Amino acid sequence: MNRFENEHDEKQLQLQLSIDRLQDKLAFAISRRFNGSRLTVYGSVLSGLALEGSHDVDVSIFIPELDRLKKNFDRGTVSASEYEKKARRIIYQVRDSLEYCRSRSFADLFAITRARVPVVKGTDVHAQNPYTHDGSLSFDLCFLNDIAVVNSSLLREYSLFDNRVRILMLSVKSFAKLNGIASAADGTLSSYSWLNMVVFYLQCIGFLPALQCPKMMQEHDFEPDQNGNPWHSINGLDTFYLTKEMVTKRNIWERQIHVNDASTTRLLFGFFNFYSIVFPQQTVAASIRFGKPSLQKTSLSKTSKLWRLCVEDPFETCSSHCPHDLGCHIKEDGQKRISEHLSRASRKLGAFMQEKMACDDTISTFLCQFLGPMPKSNGEGVKDSASSVAQQARNHPRNAPRQDRARTNTGRHNNRNGKHTNNQRNQSHGRAPKEMKRGNEGHGTNPARSQMKGDGRPGKNDQPVHVQKKNAQKKHQRQMQNKNNRDNSDANGSQPSHQSLQADHPAANIQFVDKQKERLRQITEEKTRKEHLKQNKKGGNTAAVGGKHGSGDKHQKGNSRKSDVSRTGNE
């Protein structure tokens, strides 16, 4: 756990200076064309919850012209096509202003205009980033995304209450990334959702307060200023909350005594145990706005499902005009993987704590293996760094290393006898592996299948012996039946019967027979047509020859008549 406690080491300070320089460069280049623009850093950089080695910077840009255009579109005074055209023009102008700035520091610039949040991606090649070999720093410039800024600020306020909160957040985030369950695009939860779940768990055990609770705001005499403070109302949402300084200054809220001296290891075990056993996820949604399991899933009836986790967004709540369930991206296979990893982590960590008497010093080695290797703060050239592992888990979550996996199958069979597997053959030809092509839909939904391949499918040798024998018998019976049907069709000298076709092609038997009949009919008609043409051609030639001979006979008969007449005249 000590590796997460070095918040202000040398590399982190250098990274923060690089981010400050990047923000100044962006603001200078954009303000020359757009007056009144504002840039704000958000995400893990703002909340201070970035894993060591991660260096992507998220920046929210506010442009008054684009904000007025969006408000007019919301009122209905601007059509959708006009709004899209003008917004795209502004986004490309921002990209051009960065591309042709004097410093020439930005490279790889490209704009994504057709998205929920438009973004301009790029890289600062002169940022002096300590975590990259060339000193570059990648950034995402998002338009009108101030709601993400307040989300990150709220998580930062919770992490400031106690250093154990920050360590627990980083531990859970590292655990989720290394096990491939921290990507909404992959059908699981995002890192932001996992951090919300950590805060909600700590609120339920009395370790953290609910900073958005109206009763607590009233006790602290807090009144939001939605007209004077732009951060108290964004997009028509209530985005105000108490800060850590306000709560500690009044000394009204007190932490529960039974968790006041809890170690970070016990809190981590409690997190896994809470979401694998205690939390009623089928009926209740996690919400840090309430800080207790009181929000029913029926409040998020449009997106909630009984079989998966529901996590309410802190500001886009169920009572707002745009409710947002952070768990709406979870698929059935993703929920299964999340539940399996939480249960397995709870069992392993609980057993080890009982064995080692729950001493932090004795289980530090186990936690390093459990949470994955992390880079050293002053060491360079560490091969198994958390940044590379987290990047690998982000891009290909199925390829992320798992401590509990006994073996990995890259293809349908292991590479025995020196033969190439299907995936090795595909990769050698530049094609994607079969697991990535096929996906996980329809696989891994049976809880009785305990041993799975990397893509969620059971291995051939992972099934029980009686199941393997039964499948082999069924396969042999199908092969013998198909062979008998083919022998019968060959003996009769006809096409295969409908039953044999159905056995060979159960999904397309009718279409196969119809196509064969249609093909035979076309061949027969073509032969008949050619024969008719051939006969007609022969008949035409005979008639032509006969006509010539007939005219010759008539000519000869006429000449004979003339000769007879001349003879009679002479006589």
Side-chain angles (χ1 to χ4, degrees):
M1 290 293 186
N2 294 330
R3 65 188 177 201
F4 293 124
E5 296 179 2
N6 299 325
E7 182 179 4
H8 300 292
D9 59 350
E10 184 179 356
K11 280 193 174 182
Q12 288 293 330
L13 291 176
Q14 292 179 6
L15 177 62
Q16 188 61 43
L17 293 176
S18 301
I19 294 172
D20 294 340
R21 286 192 294 268
L22 170 64
Q23 189 174 0
D24 294 338
K25 293 178 185 177
L26 293 173
F28 177 76
I30 296 174
S31 61
R32 297 182 62 185
R33 177 170 292 189
F34 299 98
N35 294 326
S37 59
R38 182 183 72 243
L39 279 79
T40 309
V41 177
Y42 70 96
S44 58
V45 176
L46 175 62
S47 61
L49 299 173
L51 293 175
E52 187 175 354
S54 59
H55 51 270
D56 293 338
V57 182
D58 299 321
V59 183
S60 175
I61 176 174
F62 176 84
I63 298 178
E65 182 180 353
L66 186 59
D67 181 61
R68 289 192 299 267
L69 180 64
K70 188 177 183 302
K71 289 181 179 179
N72 292 333
F73 172 70
D74 294 337
R75 297 190 190 101
T77 58
V78 176
S79 63
S81 59
E82 185 179 359
Y83 169 75
E84 184 178 0
K85 181 179 178 180
K86 292 183 178 180
R88 190 186 300 115
R89 178 178 57 83
I90 294 174
I91 294 170
Y92 283 129
Q93 287 178 354
V94 172
R95 185 203 61 182
D96 295 340
S97 62
L98 297 179
E99 186 175 2
Y100 300 109
C101 66
R102 294 180 179 178
S103 60
R104 300 290 181 181
S105 298
F106 304 112
D108 301 332
L109 293 168
F110 65 96
I112 302 175
T113 58
R114 293 178 177 267
R116 180 176 177 266
V117 178
V119 60
V120 173
K121 291 179 174 289
T123 303
D124 185 4
V125 295
H126 303 307
Q128 300 177 7
N129 183 12
Y131 291 102
T132 55
H133 64 281
D134 57 352
S136 62
L137 183 63
S138 302
F139 63 89
D140 292 344
L141 193 61
C142 302
F143 293 82
L144 301 179
N145 199 24
D146 287 342
I147 188 67
V149 178
V150 292
N151 286 335
S152 303
S153 302
L154 179 61
L155 291 179
R156 177 174 175 80
E157 291 297 330
Y158 280 115
S159 66
L160 293 176
F161 272 88
D162 196 294
N163 193 34
R164 290 171 289 180
V165 178
R166 179 178 176 272
I167 297 174
L168 184 62
M169 286 181 172
L170 292 173
S171 302
V172 172
K173 185 177 179 179
S174 176
F175 163 80
K177 282 184 175 293
L178 293 175
N179 286 280
I181 52 176
S183 174
D186 191 47
T188 58
L189 288 168
S190 62
S191 300
Y192 175 69
S193 304
W194 283 104
L195 296 179
N196 274 267
M197 291 173 61
V198 172
V199 174
F200 179 72
Y201 154 69
L202 295 176
Q203 288 174 336
C204 291
I205 64 175
F207 198 88
L208 284 178
L211 299 180
Q212 297 174 271
C213 178
K215 181 179 179 181
M216 194 169 180
M217 291 183 183
Q218 185 177 3
E219 292 176 351
H220 289 77
D221 299 330
F222 176 78
E223 294 183 0
D225 186 9
Q226 296 183 347
N227 295 325
N229 193 340
W231 297 106
H232 284 185
S233 179
I234 299 174
N235 299 334
L237 302 172
D238 295 335
T239 55
F240 49 86
Y241 52 85
L242 294 172
T243 61
K244 182 252 182 182
E245 184 180 357
M246 296 178 183
V247 175
T248 55
K249 186 177 180 179
R250 299 293 297 271
N251 201 17
I252 297 177
W253 174 83
E254 293 182 358
R255 182 176 295 135
Q256 296 293 329
I257 300 176
H258 63 280
V259 295
N260 195 20
D261 298 331
S263 63
T264 311
T265 307
R266 287 188 177 274
L267 293 176
L268 180 63
F269 168 73
F271 172 83
F272 294 134
N273 187 71
F274 178 78
Y275 284 106
S276 59
I277 299 175
V278 180
F279 181 64
Q281 69 174 20
Q282 293 185 350
T283 57
V284 179
S287 174
I288 66 176
R289 180 169 60 102
F290 291 98
K292 54 185 178 180
S294 60
L295 181 63
Q296 299 296 316
K297 276 190 174 181
T298 53
S299 303
L300 299 168
S301 58
K302 292 184 178 180
T303 58
S304 63
K305 303 292 182 182
L306 295 177
W307 49 266
R308 66 165 174 82
L309 283 165
C310 284
V311 183
E312 185 194 37
D313 189 88
F315 302 110
E316 295 176 337
T317 61
C318 60
S319 58
S320 64
H321 64 275
C322 53
H324 185 200
D325 178 15
L326 299 177
C328 63
H329 302 286
I330 301 178
K331 298 179 181 178
E332 291 188 14
D333 180 70
Q335 178 61 48
K336 184 174 182 295
R337 284 189 287 145
I338 292 172
S339 302
E340 288 178 352
H341 284 293
L342 289 174
S343 301
R344 189 181 297 113
S346 178
R347 292 193 303 268
K348 283 188 175 183
L349 189 55
F352 200 89
M353 289 175 63
Q354 291 180 358
E355 180 182 355
K356 298 298 181 179
M357 302 298 292
C359 179
D360 286 341
D361 296 334
T362 57
I363 65 176
S364 58
T365 305
F366 171 78
L367 288 177
C368 290
Q369 298 177 356
F370 182 73
L371 297 174
M374 298 291 290
K376 298 180 180 180
S377 58
N378 359 348
E380 295 181 358
V382 182
K383 295 183 179 179
D384 297 330
S385 62
S387 60
S388 60
V389 177
Q391 184 69 20
Q392 180 185 7
R394 188 185 301 111
N395 295 336
H396 302 287
R398 299 188 188 95
N399 297 335
R402 300 182 183 180
Q403 299 294 336
D404 57 287
R405 183 178 296 176
R407 62 183 178 86
T408 56
N409 294 331
T410 56
R412 186 170 293 276
H413 305 286
N414 289 334
N415 188 8
R416 298 174 183 175
N417 303 326
K419 295 182 179 179
H420 290 282
T421 59
N422 295 334
N423 278 356
Q424 291 172 347
R425 238 180 257 112
N426 290 337
Q427 292 175 359
S428 64
H429 292 287
R431 294 190 293 265
K434 186 179 294 184
E435 293 87 349
M436 295 179 64
K437 292 180 182 178
R438 185 173 299 173
N440 286 340
E441 286 79 2
H443 302 290
T445 56
N446 188 358
R449 297 174 178 176
S450 58
Q451 294 180 348
M452 295 290 177
K453 286 187 178 183
D455 59 345
R457 292 181 288 123
K460 184 178 180 181
N461 300 326
D462 295 338
Q463 298 175 346
V465 179
H466 69 279
V467 176
Q468 297 182 21
K469 291 183 178 180
K470 190 174 181 180
N471 293 337
Q473 292 176 0
K474 289 182 179 180
K475 183 177 180 181
H476 180 69
Q477 291 176 1
R478 287 196 301 269
Q479 291 177 354
M480 295 300 296
Q481 183 180 1
N482 295 338
K483 183 178 180 181
N484 294 334
N485 291 333
R486 286 193 296 269
D487 294 341
N488 294 334
S489 62
D490 294 340
N492 298 332
S494 60
Q495 293 293 331
S497 61
H498 180 72
Q499 287 78 8
S500 63
L501 290 172
Q502 187 174 8
D504 294 337
H505 307 280
N509 47 14
I510 299 176
Q511 296 180 0
F512 180 81
V513 174
D514 293 340
K515 287 181 179 180
Q516 291 291 330
K517 290 182 178 180
E518 182 67 20
R519 181 60 180 166
L520 291 174
R521 186 181 64 80
Q522 292 178 0
I523 293 173
T524 306
E525 290 179 357
E526 185 69 15
K527 288 182 177 180
T528 306
R529 188 178 63 82
K530 288 182 178 180
E531 290 177 359
H532 283 303
L533 289 175
K534 195 173 184 181
Q535 291 177 1
N536 293 336
K537 189 175 181 180
K538 288 182 179 181
N541 294 336
T542 307
V545 174
K548 290 181 180 180
H549 288 293
S551 60
D553 293 342
K554 290 180 181 179
H555 184 66
Q556 291 179 359
K557 288 181 181 180
N559 293 335
S560 62
R561 289 175 184 174
K562 288 180 181 180
S563 60
D564 294 341
V565 172
S566 60
R567 287 175 186 173
T568 27
N570 293 330
E571 292 176 356

